[in-house]
Amino acid sequence: MVVDLEYDYNAAVASMDIFSQQDFDSIKEWTQKLDKSKYVPKDLTDKQLLVFYNACYGDLDRTKGCIERYYQIRKNAPEMFDNRVLSSDEVQPTVEALEYAVLPEKSCAGYDLIYHRLHSTEPSKYHLEPGCKLLFMTVDACLNKRGPQPGYIFLFDMQGVKLGHLTRVSLSSLRKFFQYVQEAMPVRMREIHVFNTEPILDKLLLLIRPFMDKKFFDMIKFHHKNEDLEKFYETVVPRCALPPDHGGTLPDTQTLHKKCMQTLKSMEPYFRAEEEQRINALPDKKRDKAMEKAFKNLEID
């Protein structure tokens, strides 16, 4: 099954600020020469490769490093990247407990916006790994449909986050999450805005700060509950691009979340094809084990 992204390749190339056909061809040739210990598929499409090339601003060494880390981390974190099916016993409770959205409007600078918050504030309903899975599925959906973009802004709402949520977090999963976001996720990350910062923020930072490099940490902007956001609306994200809980005019967050989940549901054939592509790139013994596990997941679903 071909991993076919939906965006228009020619239109994407025409809109990019950096593109060299010679450099792009050299990346395609490089993927063909890698041995299977790197886990990089040899049948990557031009659309797949273009996303990495754009995310790394056309820098060949950075692009190659990003591709290698992308497939290495996805191979080593199956709990976040395999069996991406919304109706599975693992994921469905998280679909109901959390909210995600690719917002339909852009930031003031023309960047894509991805939103996330708790829907249920009950800590027992929070599970980090399927939460990461849904977040990365949402990012993949945006890349699939919109293609390479000049930048991304993540918006996180901390309202309802409690100490009980932090006690449910695995340090090994946190490490994988930040490795992927900082080293492998093929997007140009511009800023991360955290709204409604709770008193628990200091404890949260103690937990996650060791996994963040300085450049990434400096992207994070915190907004307390009573902060005047007029400057934010004027310079970062306009009101028309935000849900009502944040002073905007979009539909409410649950409506946006349901629309996002409908999109992810419709993309399940794509997610299966992408996983198969990764499995086929593994060395023989690892591929056989991965295929056996994938078939078991299909039977359960």
Side-chain angles (χ1 to χ4, degrees):
M1 190 183 297
V2 177
V3 180
D4 186 23
L5 282 71
E6 296 179 31
Y7 76 88
D8 186 311
Y9 176 83
N10 291 328
V13 170
S15 68
M16 286 170 59
D17 52 1
I18 300 171
F19 183 79
S20 161
Q21 188 63 56
Q22 182 178 352
D23 287 349
F24 189 69
D25 289 342
S26 74
I27 293 171
K28 289 199 289 184
E29 293 172 8
W30 168 80
T31 62
Q32 298 302 308
K33 296 175 182 177
L34 288 173
D35 62 56
K36 286 197 168 186
S37 66
K38 300 296 185 181
Y39 313 127
V40 177
K42 295 189 182 300
D43 59 344
L44 293 174
T45 65
D46 284 0
K47 288 183 181 181
Q48 285 179 287
L49 289 171
L50 192 67
V51 167
F52 291 101
Y53 179 81
N54 174 75
C56 297
Y57 299 88
D59 184 297
L60 295 186
D61 288 338
R62 282 180 62 188
T63 302
K64 292 174 183 177
C66 184
I67 292 171
E68 287 190 355
R69 289 296 285 151
Y70 178 93
Y71 285 102
Q72 180 185 54
I73 293 172
R74 288 200 169 204
K75 183 265 177 187
N76 291 327
E79 68 276 16
M80 297 183 189
F81 297 104
D82 290 358
N83 192 31
R84 296 192 283 177
V85 179
L86 296 190
S87 60
S88 68
D89 292 342
E90 172 204 10
V91 177
Q92 184 58 41
T94 296
V95 169
E96 297 172 359
L98 306 181
E99 292 180 343
Y100 300 85
V102 177
L103 300 184
E105 305 294 331
K106 302 273 189 175
S107 76
C108 295
Y111 302 146
D112 280 3
L113 302 167
I114 291 183
Y115 180 85
H116 169 51
R117 76 170 187 177
L118 300 175
H119 178 62
S120 168
T121 60
E122 171 54 49
S124 65
K125 295 186 178 181
Y126 179 74
H127 303 279
L128 176 64
E129 292 79 7
C132 293
K133 180 180 289 193
L134 278 176
L135 176 62
F136 294 144
M137 288 171 72
T138 301
V139 175
D140 283 6
C142 198
L143 290 170
N144 179 63
K145 295 182 180 298
R146 300 183 181 181
Q149 295 294 317
Y152 276 71
I153 293 178
F154 279 31
L155 307 173
F156 293 115
D157 185 353
M158 271 194 72
Q159 186 167 350
V161 176
K162 306 169 185 175
L163 181 60
H165 291 99
L166 305 191
T167 63
R168 298 178 61 79
V169 171
S170 155
L171 293 182
S172 63
S173 294
L174 265 187
R175 182 177 294 106
K176 291 177 184 179
F177 173 84
F178 282 108
Q179 283 177 338
Y180 182 76
V181 170
Q182 294 175 112
E183 303 171 22
M185 191 166 68
V187 303
R188 295 183 180 184
M189 184 72 78
R190 301 290 188 172
E191 296 175 5
I192 300 164
H193 289 267
V194 182
F195 299 107
N196 293 317
T197 55
E198 299 275 2
I200 195 70
L201 177 62
D202 289 343
K203 291 182 174 62
L204 174 63
L205 289 177
L206 281 174
L207 182 67
I208 66 176
R209 184 66 181 89
F211 301 108
M212 292 186 278
D213 59 36
K214 184 179 184 304
K215 181 180 178 182
F216 185 83
F217 183 73
D218 288 345
M219 291 182 189
I220 306 176
K221 318 296 179 187
F222 299 100
H223 306 278
H224 60 77
K225 288 183 179 180
N226 300 318
E227 181 178 332
D228 184 348
L229 293 175
E230 284 305 320
K231 186 176 180 181
F232 175 81
Y233 300 140
E234 293 172 4
T235 62
V236 184
V237 182
R239 287 180 181 272
C240 67
L242 291 166
D245 285 359
H246 301 284
T249 58
L250 289 180
D252 64 87
T253 58
Q254 185 61 196
T255 299
L256 294 168
H257 169 73
K258 288 179 179 177
K259 183 176 181 181
C260 181
M261 293 304 105
Q262 288 171 355
T263 298
L264 299 187
K265 178 69 177 176
S266 71
M267 286 180 59
E268 285 177 5
Y270 166 82
F271 292 131
R272 281 197 299 273
E274 190 274 337
E275 184 176 346
E276 287 177 12
Q277 185 184 50
R278 286 188 280 116
I279 290 174
N280 290 333
L282 298 176
D284 292 344
K285 289 184 178 180
K286 291 182 178 180
R287 185 179 70 241
D288 291 343
K289 289 182 180 179
M291 289 180 69
E292 182 180 351
K293 182 179 178 182
F295 282 132
K296 285 182 179 179
N297 286 332
L298 285 175
E299 289 171 6
I300 292 172
D301 298 335

